[in-house]
Amino acid sequence: MENMRMTSQKSSEELKTRTPKRQRGHDRVVILLDAAARVFARKGYDAATMTEIATEAHSSIGSLYQFFPTKPLLAEALHIERLERLKAGLREAAESSAGLSAADCGEAIFDALGVFMGKYPELSALAGRRDIPKERKARSRAELKELIAGVLRQAKPSISDDVALMSGLVLELLRIVVAVANEPDAAEDRRVAGELRLMLRKRLEEAASKT
């Protein structure tokens, strides 16, 4: 019995010891990812270096490599984390736009993206990477398209017959907006994105008028 109590006490002490270590590791990863986000947003993905990211995080390069051995692995971890936040924003848009017209649902999606890009401008650099794993890219695209479709399905009147097509169009337009969001010489491209957004609104209005 005494041995059982000692073993139980030892296990409890080990758990208490491991938990802070895991928390410190998690906190360190958050710091490193946020530092990478700032560097990617400021310099772009290709120009950013691991040394600059470590400096931005007030960390040693060895500590950075301990968690992220390569820049692509670091960027991919950050990209996935930011996509999860974007998906959450689209879910909120679905809740807040329930019962709106299809055109207004489309506007809600772009408003959500605007808020997101204001908070996470590094998404442009992350989305433009050439080393994104193809399978993950396809999976993320399908998930985003389905979330967009979820917003549009709630439109009143319904555009159920055109939801798949419209969600694909919205996703392509979102990609354009993200691609030009932080380009200093892309004023003309941003105007094009604005015009495409207006065209989409008209297309959604047409889809709604069919019902």
Side-chain angles (χ1 to χ4, degrees), residues 6-7 9 15 35 43 52 57 89 98 102 119 123-124 154 157 182 194:
M6 290 178 65
T7 300
Q9 181 179 4
L15 179 61
K43 300 197 65 175
E52 290 171 318
K119 291 183 67 175
L123 184 63
S124 294
Q154 300 185 92
N182 289 314

Side-chain angles (χ1 to χ4, degrees), residues 142-168:
E143 290 172 351
L144 288 172
K145 185 176 179 181
E146 180 55 32
L147 286 170
I148 292 168
V151 178
L152 297 179
R153 286 192 190 99
Q154 300 185 92
K156 301 295 181 182
S158 171
I159 59 166
S160 56
D161 292 342
D162 288 328
V163 164
L165 174 61
M166 291 297 102
S167 60

Side-chain angles (χ1 to χ4, degrees), residues 14 34 40 47 63 69 78 100 111 115 148 158 186 192 195:
E14 288 176 348
D34 287 344
F40 289 150
S63 178
L78 179 62
L100 297 180
D111 289 343
V115 171
I148 292 168
S158 171
V192 169
E195 288 297 317

